[in-house]
Amino acid sequence: MLRGLWKLTWIEIKVFLREPMGAFGTIGVPVVIFIALSRIPNLKIGAPSLASSGLSSAGLPVLVSLLISVSAVISLITIISIYREGGILKRLRATPLRPQTILTAHVIVKLVLSAVTLIFMFLAGKRYFPPGVPVPWFSFTIALLISTLSILSIGFVIASIVPTARFAQPIGAVILYPMIALSGLFVHISALPPALRAVARVLPLTYAVRLLEGIWNGDRWLAHLSDVAALAVLFLLFTALSAKVFRWQ
């Protein structure tokens, strides 16, 4: 099983890299956005604060990290929809590979690409970090991977209900990108109307922002065990929901 998983993962990575535009959109665009925003005088790459609002205080690394994560989810939605509509999943079902193995391979690919994109972002934007301020790149990368894994569960739900591959990417973008506005990145959750506040509390992005901001500020992991636990619970809930709705067609 593990051999088939790693083999399928490697094949999916090679297929992804054969599309230059897709690779640039997933890896290059977040890096370009990070560098472009970092050059704006009023926007600093500093320690974000939940007590205030606005992009300058929220921190560009957290914003771009969310863009990396959401981009990975939209890519996953598109690929699963294409595979399902083209009958690829149905043909793979006839092989010894289990459906869980196939989905796990795609998740691993997205996690690897997210980590690579974040590393490129740090390397390209290193000159814009404040001098003398240590960058917790390793812990921040782990936090991003945990966040991406949980957010991917929303992708499973969307992919299970998207009718065709043609509408997968726009539907995913329409659903996922507005969630960033409710995550507490720009406006604190307590400042939202009660209805939006309730929605924000069941979104993985809300807890991902708190985790990423805390790790970027140098907090210990023990201070964010509740956020990690919330991301894990939401991952299990959304994955279970998608498993009930999903149809291998």
Side-chain angles (χ1 to χ4, degrees):
M1 178 178 174
L2 287 177
R3 183 180 178 183
L5 174 62
W6 297 123
K7 209 169 185 181
L8 182 59
T9 301
W10 178 240
I11 291 174
E12 292 297 337
I13 291 176
K14 290 193 294 185
V15 170
F16 173 80
L17 293 177
R18 286 177 184 172
E19 295 291 339
M21 292 302 297
F24 177 77
T26 302
I27 300 176
V29 170
V31 176
V32 172
I33 292 175
F34 179 71
I35 295 176
L37 292 179
S38 300
R39 294 171 66 91
I40 300 177
N42 293 332
L43 300 180
K44 300 181 182 294
I45 309 177
S49 172
L50 281 173
S52 54
S53 61
L55 181 59
S56 59
S57 62
L60 294 180
V62 177
L63 171 61
V64 178
S65 297
L66 282 186
L67 293 178
I68 293 173
S69 182
V70 170
S71 175
V73 177
I74 293 177
S75 176
L76 176 71
I77 295 171
T78 304
I79 291 175
I80 293 180
S81 301
I82 292 174
Y83 277 27
R84 184 177 57 182
E85 188 177 12
I88 298 176
L89 290 179
K90 188 175 182 179
R91 291 194 291 271
L92 287 174
R93 195 179 180 184
T95 68
L97 294 176
R98 296 181 179 180
Q100 296 89 338
T101 304
I102 299 170
L103 292 178
T104 301
H106 285 288
V107 170
I108 292 175
V109 171
K110 300 310 172 190
L111 293 179
V112 170
L113 293 175
S114 297
V116 170
T117 306
L118 187 65
I119 291 173
F120 277 123
M121 185 187 83
F122 278 135
L123 292 176
K126 191 175 181 181
R127 58 181 295 188
Y128 301 107
F129 291 107
V133 177
V135 178
W137 65 270
F138 180 77
S139 297
F140 193 79
T141 301
I142 299 300
L144 174 62
L145 295 182
I146 294 174
S147 302
T148 302
L149 182 62
S150 182
I151 298 172
L152 282 172
S153 62
I154 299 181
F156 290 144
V157 176
I158 299 175
S160 67
I161 59 178
V162 170
T164 63
R166 180 181 179 183
F167 299 103
Q169 188 167 358
I171 291 177
V174 168
I175 294 176
L176 287 168
Y177 281 117
M179 290 184 183
I180 297 179
L182 302 177
S183 64
L185 183 62
F186 299 98
V187 180
H188 194 263
I189 301 299
S190 60
L192 296 174
L196 294 180
R197 198 182 312 154
V199 173
R201 296 193 185 282
V202 296
L203 295 178
L205 275 73
T206 302
Y207 304 97
V209 166
R210 286 207 312 226
L211 177 63
L212 291 169
E213 285 190 336
I215 297 301
W216 184 262
N217 280 328
D219 293 350
R220 295 180 178 272
W221 281 92
L222 288 176
H224 294 278
L225 286 180
S226 60
D227 295 322
V228 175
L231 289 171
V233 170
L234 290 174
F235 171 78
L236 293 175
L237 288 177
F238 283 120
T239 302
L241 176 61
S242 62
K244 290 185 178 182
V245 181
F246 201 85
R247 294 294 181 269
W248 293 84
Q249 300 174 356

